Amino acid sequence: MTILVTGGAGFIGANFVYHMLEKYPSYKVICLDALTYAGNMETLATAMENPQFIFIKGDIADREAVYKVFESHKPDWVVNFAAESHVDRSITNPDIFLRTNVIGTGVLMDACRKYGTSRFHQVSTDEVYGDLPLDRPDLFFTEETPIHTSSPYSASKASADLLAQAYHRTFKLPVTISRCSNNYGPYHFPEKLIPLMIANALNDKSLPVYGKGENIRDWLYVLDHCVAIDLILHKGKVGEVYNIGGHNERTNLDVVKTILKELNKPESLINYVTDRPGHDMRYAIDPTKINNALGWLPSTSFDEGIKKTIKWYLDNRKWWENILAGEYQGYYEKMYAGR
């Protein structure tokens, strides 16, 4: 079995690479990543030592480069993690989100059609559903919830989902889609909420919190997410959408206060800043479908997962300090050029 993992030098993609290499030692894992600002080859340093792993630098929106990868390695499955994913960046510069998240997905599916790939899995997000009101804790996103996007990022991911469903219906491409809640855990890029707060707290810097910190997110430990995608690939039904949720709802302020408490830092470090435009209030996923169909439920509570995550950042300071210093961007050329 050969699996092409796009965006495998990013946060969730890298965790998935390690999960698959460990669980299926006979599988070959090919990683295609453009190494844009959030792609980090230092994250894949251990994987590079595994003979079953191959890294290729390339852009999923580059049709010639993608076809070359398919021609050379003929992947059985493609798992598409490659995406621009930061909401604030999408508000500043929507163009790159459309190119990667929509055009790139289309190029990958065209390659799957051309080379007879037996599964294309699109990794999506609960943000395609918009948000839920804070005063209705009984409401959750299901696979039947209408798409209602709030940002250029979520709109680009929704567009990719619709394109994938269209390719399945029109061309019979064997597609599955998963929509996850907010991930956290090892290798999370330090611009995102949890790693940013950990890094700032460790450096006694202010912790910026949007608005009053009332926005609620359903937190999913990244390794639970990887297990869910693994199950969908091996046992999921082609053409289906599966919601992957953590059942770990917390306000942003609660998350920040939990991190400060774990690190024994004062809450006076919190700095409330002007809210972002169109900021979704609450995300919450109902994972009943994937539980009933595939037997998946998250195994990591937020209290357990945040302790593991904080410990990982304490034990791997060099990894995130290199990112904050910008040194990680030269790692590929330094370590792997010519390999």
Side-chain angles (χ1 to χ4, degrees), residues 209-211 272-276:
V209 174
Y210 281 129
Y272 296 97
V273 299
T274 303
D275 210 349
R276 74 158 59 117

PDB file of all heavy atoms in Angstrom, residues 209-211 272-276:
ATOM      1  N   VAL A 209      -6.062  37.752  23.589  1.00  0.00           N
ATOM      2  CA  VAL A 209      -7.337  37.028  23.534  1.00  0.00           C
ATOM      3  C   VAL A 209      -8.358  37.905  22.820  1.00  0.00           C
ATOM      4  O   VAL A 209      -8.598  39.050  23.222  1.00  0.00           O
ATOM      5  CB  VAL A 209      -7.834  36.678  24.954  1.00  0.00           C
ATOM      6  CG1 VAL A 209      -9.232  36.063  24.895  1.00  0.00           C
ATOM      7  CG2 VAL A 209      -6.852  35.738  25.638  1.00  0.00           C
ATOM      8  N   TYR A 210      -8.970  37.375  21.755  1.00  0.00           N
ATOM      9  CA  TYR A 210      -9.950  38.148  20.994  1.00  0.00           C
ATOM     10  C   TYR A 210     -11.192  38.455  21.839  1.00  0.00           C
ATOM     11  O   TYR A 210     -11.716  37.573  22.533  1.00  0.00           O
ATOM     12  CB  TYR A 210     -10.399  37.380  19.757  1.00  0.00           C
ATOM     13  CG  TYR A 210      -9.432  37.430  18.592  1.00  0.00           C
ATOM     14  CD1 TYR A 210      -9.023  36.262  17.958  1.00  0.00           C
ATOM     15  CD2 TYR A 210      -8.949  38.642  18.112  1.00  0.00           C
ATOM     16  CE1 TYR A 210      -8.152  36.300  16.876  1.00  0.00           C
ATOM     17  CE2 TYR A 210      -8.092  38.693  17.036  1.00  0.00           C
ATOM     18  CZ  TYR A 210      -7.694  37.521  16.418  1.00  0.00           C
ATOM     19  OH  TYR A 210      -6.834  37.562  15.363  1.00  0.00           O
ATOM     20  N   GLY A 211     -11.680  39.712  21.728  1.00  0.00           N
ATOM     21  CA  GLY A 211     -12.924  40.102  22.395  1.00  0.00           C
ATOM     22  C   GLY A 211     -12.862  39.844  23.882  1.00  0.00           C
ATOM     23  O   GLY A 211     -11.927  40.246  24.577  1.00  0.00           O
ATOM     24  N   TYR A 272      -6.712  41.413  26.376  1.00  0.00           N
ATOM     25  CA  TYR A 272      -7.889  41.356  25.511  1.00  0.00           C
ATOM     26  C   TYR A 272      -7.693  42.323  24.340  1.00  0.00           C
ATOM     27  O   TYR A 272      -7.399  43.499  24.531  1.00  0.00           O
ATOM     28  CB  TYR A 272      -9.145  41.706  26.299  1.00  0.00           C
ATOM     29  CG  TYR A 272      -9.435  40.714  27.398  1.00  0.00           C
ATOM     30  CD1 TYR A 272      -9.041  40.962  28.716  1.00  0.00           C
ATOM     31  CD2 TYR A 272     -10.085  39.515  27.126  1.00  0.00           C
ATOM     32  CE1 TYR A 272      -9.293  40.049  29.728  1.00  0.00           C
ATOM     33  CE2 TYR A 272     -10.344  38.594  28.128  1.00  0.00           C
ATOM     34  CZ  TYR A 272      -9.943  38.863  29.421  1.00  0.00           C
ATOM     35  OH  TYR A 272     -10.193  37.947  30.414  1.00  0.00           O
ATOM     36  N   VAL A 273      -7.865  41.802  23.112  1.00  0.00           N
ATOM     37  CA  VAL A 273      -7.630  42.598  21.905  1.00  0.00           C
ATOM     38  C   VAL A 273      -8.902  42.649  21.070  1.00  0.00           C
ATOM     39  O   VAL A 273      -9.839  41.864  21.264  1.00  0.00           O
ATOM     40  CB  VAL A 273      -6.469  42.017  21.068  1.00  0.00           C
ATOM     41  CG1 VAL A 273      -5.178  42.024  21.874  1.00  0.00           C
ATOM     42  CG2 VAL A 273      -6.786  40.607  20.584  1.00  0.00           C
ATOM     43  N   THR A 274      -8.938  43.592  20.121  1.00  0.00           N
ATOM     44  CA  THR A 274     -10.113  43.768  19.257  1.00  0.00           C
ATOM     45  C   THR A 274     -10.433  42.477  18.523  1.00  0.00           C
ATOM     46  O   THR A 274      -9.541  41.826  17.958  1.00  0.00           O
ATOM     47  CB  THR A 274      -9.863  44.885  18.232  1.00  0.00           C
ATOM     48  OG1 THR A 274      -9.534  46.080  18.941  1.00  0.00           O
ATOM     49  CG2 THR A 274     -11.090  45.118  17.368  1.00  0.00           C
ATOM     50  N   ASP A 275     -11.700  42.096  18.517  1.00  0.00           N
ATOM     51  CA  ASP A 275     -12.123  40.838  17.903  1.00  0.00           C
ATOM     52  C   ASP A 275     -11.877  40.855  16.397  1.00  0.00           C
ATOM     53  O   ASP A 275     -11.868  41.917  15.764  1.00  0.00           O
ATOM     54  CB  ASP A 275     -13.613  40.606  18.182  1.00  0.00           C
ATOM     55  CG  ASP A 275     -13.963  39.129  18.251  1.00  0.00           C
ATOM     56  OD1 ASP A 275     -13.110  38.302  17.875  1.00  0.00           O
ATOM     57  OD2 ASP A 275     -15.086  38.815  18.668  1.00  0.00           O
ATOM     58  N   ARG A 276     -11.693  39.662  15.813  1.00  0.00           N
ATOM     59  CA  ARG A 276     -11.515  39.567  14.373  1.00  0.00           C
ATOM     60  C   ARG A 276     -12.865  39.718  13.669  1.00  0.00           C
ATOM     61  O   ARG A 276     -13.921  39.377  14.234  1.00  0.00           O
ATOM     62  CB  ARG A 276     -10.868  38.227  13.988  1.00  0.00           C
ATOM     63  CG  ARG A 276     -11.798  37.042  14.085  1.00  0.00           C
ATOM     64  CD  ARG A 276     -11.348  35.867  13.217  1.00  0.00           C
ATOM     65  NE  ARG A 276     -10.051  35.348  13.506  1.00  0.00           N
ATOM     66  CZ  ARG A 276      -9.802  34.113  13.948  1.00  0.00           C
ATOM     67  NH1 ARG A 276     -10.809  33.293  14.214  1.00  0.00           N
ATOM     68  NH2 ARG A 276      -8.571  33.699  14.139  1.00  0.00           N
TER      69      ARG A 276
END
